[in-house]
Amino acid sequence: MNDTVSALILSQSDYREHDVMIRVLTAEYGIIGFIAAGARKMTSKNAGSILPYTEAEIQFDYKEGKTLFRLKTARTKQLFRPLHEDLLKSAAAAVACELCAGMASEAGETAGEEYAMLAKVFKALNEGHDAPTVIALYMCDLMKLFGIEPDVDECVRCGSTVVAAVSAREGGFLCAQHAEQAGVPAAGVMDLKRFRLLVKGGLEHLELIEKTGGAKMGDLEILADMLKLHAGTELRSFAFFKRFFAIE
């Protein structure tokens, strides 16, 4: 039985002498893996279509209950070339793919939404949108999808709408009293407004949020800490992204 799906390539690693193993995200089956036989050979017809940060059409035999399959053929749908040629964009795409791999479901009900989100990230980075803002909004959208988005309407402890800080551990805004009790430094009004806009806006409003100044690295650090504390997702690629962005 030949099944054909569109897939976003998340990662690739060497497997045996001439083969590679890839992890992909599909709208139909969530995250699944493939062995691409002979992909490291110069004569491989599939090699160029299964690079990370690529959208490909993949043909394989699907069997229920399996998560690793043998790839038959792959055809490039969108290469997203700048994500392979620009180191900052590549680093941002790596963060997005690691986040997706850490949180996405396997053949879950949300697989289609997860696919659409990551496709938006690739497209936005490919078009030259601000990388930190794209990644911050993707983090917020994923957390919202899985019901762990930060509470940015009121103090998470007392419900006061007069807030003074944002806490990764507490999962959102804190009033001045509870921020002091938790040992969380106060944030400026503009910083709190920006963080709230990121959480509420999402990728859908990327261009509008960019016009207001976009995300700061501190926003991403808070969101990354929230993902680690509340979703158990630690992003190893985020450290490199931060270092590279600081250089830029």
Side-chain angles (χ1 to χ4, degrees), residues 79-134:
L79 180 59
F80 301 110
R81 188 177 297 277
L83 276 61
H84 300 89
E85 297 176 346
D86 184 289
L87 192 53
L88 177 57
K89 293 176 182 178
S90 180
V95 174
C97 287
E98 186 181 5
L99 177 56
C100 174
M103 294 190 69
S105 58
E106 294 180 353
E109 294 180 358
T110 60
E113 293 175 86
E114 294 160 21
Y115 190 95
M117 282 184 196
L118 188 59
K120 282 184 182 178
V121 170
F122 285 0
K123 184 174 183 289
L125 293 173
N126 190 69
E127 292 176 348
H129 287 280
D130 181 63
T133 303
V134 172

Side-chain angles (χ1 to χ4, degrees), residues 14 19 30-31 49 69 100 119 121 141 155 187 191 204 223 229 233:
D14 292 345
D19 307 343
I31 291 184
S49 298
F69 304 90
C100 174
V121 170
D141 279 351
C155 174
D191 292 332
E204 180 183 359
L223 292 167
L229 290 167
T233 302

Side-chain angles (χ1 to χ4, degrees), residues 110-183:
T110 60
E113 293 175 86
E114 294 160 21
Y115 190 95
M117 282 184 196
L118 188 59
K120 282 184 182 178
V121 170
F122 285 0
K123 184 174 183 289
L125 293 173
N126 190 69
E127 292 176 348
H129 287 280
D130 181 63
T133 303
V134 172
I135 297 305
L137 294 176
Y138 180 53
M139 288 176 171
C140 292
D141 279 351
L142 266 185
M143 285 193 281
K144 190 176 300 181
L145 181 64
F146 290 102
I148 56 170
E149 71 271 26
D151 186 339
V152 291
D153 290 321
E154 58 190 20
C155 174
V156 297
R157 288 196 181 181
C158 69
S160 171
T161 56
V162 181
V163 296
V166 57
S167 168
R169 184 166 297 279
E170 298 289 341
F173 284 169
L174 292 172
C175 65
Q177 178 183 349
H178 288 117
E180 184 178 1
Q181 290 178 0

